[in-house]
């Protein structure tokens, strides 16, 4: 593609409605991103071909999101903008983000899948499924996570974890469900309320001693039942094939292959 008719510019906030319309052309992929345009800290660059918007670069404080409906657009100018920001993480649809590997040296590549819930909401949660409402329950949640290998290796200290979770729960940004046996949590799943229209399931965890009892399925079904009734679109990310099979059995389908690239400091 010739560069001669391509213009890249910083988009004025007055034009963000147009940027939102552009993102809505692939709502399956961009539903979690669109409402971020309203955040004060956002900087957004647009690529225009013959005066038509054909790509967006959204700059957050800690990451950069790139989207275009077209693969193989020239990225040299976008790469220069990214380098000037000093931000070293690029995220988005795998096929698009892979193109940046030609412009930077990388010290991290992480591939995963973005799934969206498309099942029914007629599941009735068990009465044994509880919602965390207290700081003490957040401490018990920490104890549960420390029994699960993929969490305990990177977990923060108990006070920070419990207080952070409790503050998010109090603010309505996070809801955490759990199942208990003999007073101890044996399974959990959380959901971050991203916007009035979207939510992301995260923190699905069951210690090894309590697996293969259907607990994780029960947690996820309970979340989907509650949020589907609120007409929210429910998403989750996964990179574990066994977990992926479970999620698909529960009514999730693949919305996109997702990529995170970490730019090497010496780039």
């Amino acid at each position: 593609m010739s560069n001669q008719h391509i213009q890249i510019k910083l988009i004025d906030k007055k034009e963000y409605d147009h940027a939102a319309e552009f993102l809505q052309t692939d709502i399956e992929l961009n539903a979690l991103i669109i409402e971020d345009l309203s955040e004060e800290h956002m900087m957004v660059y647009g690529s225009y071909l013959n005066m038509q918007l054909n790509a967006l670069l959204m700059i957050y404080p800690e990451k950069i999101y790139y989207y275009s409906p077209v693969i193989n657009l020239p990225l040299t100018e976008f790469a220069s903008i990214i380098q000037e920001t000093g931000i070293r993480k690029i995220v988005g649809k795998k096929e698009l983000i892979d193109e940046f590997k030609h412009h930077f040296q990388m010290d991290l590549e992480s591939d995963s899948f973005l799934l969206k819930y498309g099942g029914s909401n007629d599941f009735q949660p068990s009465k044994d499924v509880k919602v965390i409402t207290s700081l003490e329950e957040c401490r018990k949640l920490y104890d549960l996570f420390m029994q699960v290998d993929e969490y305990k290796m990177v977990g923060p200290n108990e006070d920070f974890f419990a207080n952070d979770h409790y503050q998010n729960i109090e603010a309505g940004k996070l809801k955490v469900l759990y199942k208990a046996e003999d007073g101890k949590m044996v399974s959990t799943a959380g959901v971050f309320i991203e916007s009035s229209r979207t939510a992301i399931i995260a923190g699905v965890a069951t210690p090894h001693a309590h697996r293969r009892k259907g607990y994780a399925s029960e947690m996820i079904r309970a979340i989907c039942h509650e949020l589907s009734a609120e007409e929210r679109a429910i998403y989750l990310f996964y990179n574990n094939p066994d977990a992926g099979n479970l999620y698909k059995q529960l009514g999730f389908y693949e919305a996109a292959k997702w990529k995170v690239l970490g730019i090497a400091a010496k780039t």
Side-chain angles (χ1 to χ4, degrees):
M1 183 182 294
S2 171
N3 286 341
Q4 61 181 352
H5 300 301
I6 291 179
Q7 177 192 15
I8 293 179
K9 68 172 187 175
L10 181 64
I11 297 178
D12 188 275
K13 291 186 183 295
K14 296 176 182 178
E15 301 177 86
Y16 279 9
D17 286 347
H18 180 49
E21 290 176 6
F22 177 71
L23 291 171
Q24 284 172 348
T25 58
D26 190 346
I27 194 63
E28 294 276 277
L29 174 67
N30 295 317
L32 296 171
I33 302 297
I34 291 173
E35 292 197 17
D36 291 347
L37 289 168
S38 63
E39 297 183 10
E40 285 297 318
H41 56 67
M42 289 298 305
M43 289 179 61
V44 182
Y45 285 85
S47 171
Y48 295 81
L49 177 63
N50 298 327
M51 307 300 291
Q52 295 295 315
L53 184 61
N54 70 349
L56 283 178
L57 194 74
M58 298 175 60
I59 301 174
Y60 296 75
E62 77 291 349
K63 67 184 178 184
I64 290 174
Y65 179 77
Y66 172 72
Y67 170 71
S68 174
V70 182
I71 307 293
N72 298 325
L73 284 181
L75 295 177
T76 301
E77 193 168 345
F78 272 150
S80 295
I81 292 169
I82 291 170
Q83 192 163 13
E84 288 173 5
T85 68
I87 298 170
R88 294 168 52 195
K89 184 164 73 171
I90 312 172
V91 305
K93 188 175 182 179
K94 174 178 166 55
E95 295 88 336
L96 296 169
I97 304 305
D98 272 336
E99 294 297 306
F100 283 100
K101 292 164 63 176
H102 304 298
H103 297 270
F104 299 104
Q105 295 180 37
M106 301 297 166
D107 62 9
L108 169 70
E109 286 190 46
S110 175
D111 292 339
S112 57
F113 294 89
L114 174 64
L115 299 187
K116 183 179 181 183
Y117 186 65
S120 69
N121 63 351
D122 57 1
F123 170 79
Q124 292 300 319
S126 165
K127 293 181 180 180
D128 293 334
V129 176
K130 308 293 184 182
V131 178
I132 286 182
T133 59
S134 70
L135 181 60
E136 182 58 32
E137 287 173 315
C138 290
R139 295 187 183 281
K140 292 181 179 180
L141 180 67
Y142 177 85
D143 292 340
L144 183 150
F145 277 135
M146 292 304 100
Q147 300 173 56
V148 180
D149 289 342
E150 53 264 45
Y151 292 105
K152 68 182 180 182
M153 297 302 292
V154 295
N157 67 62
E158 180 179 344
D159 285 339
F160 178 87
F161 176 95
N163 284 301
D164 182 64
H165 272 63
Y166 186 59
Q167 287 174 10
N168 281 317
I169 289 168
E170 286 278 276
K173 297 178 181 178
L174 172 66
K175 181 173 287 189
V176 182
L177 279 61
Y178 70 93
K179 189 179 184 73
E181 288 182 354
D182 299 324
K184 291 186 178 180
M185 292 185 184
V186 295
S187 187
T188 185
V191 59
F192 286 95
I193 310 301
E194 292 289 301
S195 71
S196 60
R197 294 176 291 187
T198 60
I200 299 179
I201 293 176
V204 180
T206 304
H208 186 77
H210 299 284
R211 291 180 182 176
R212 308 215 178 267
K213 298 179 181 179
Y215 291 166
S217 298
E218 192 174 359
M219 297 295 100
I220 294 167
R221 284 197 181 104
I223 287 174
C224 292
H225 170 78
E226 186 164 340
L227 296 184
S228 293
E230 299 174 4
E231 298 186 350
R232 294 183 192 270
I234 308 165
Y235 291 84
L236 60 79
F237 291 89
Y238 85 91
N239 55 17
N240 179 311
D242 290 337
N245 291 335
L246 169 64
Y247 297 141
K248 290 174 183 178
Q249 290 171 12
L250 294 174
F252 286 84
Y253 62 91
E254 185 180 311
K257 293 182 175 69
W258 193 260
K259 185 91 175 187
V260 177
L261 283 181
I263 302 171
K266 62 183 178 182
T267 296

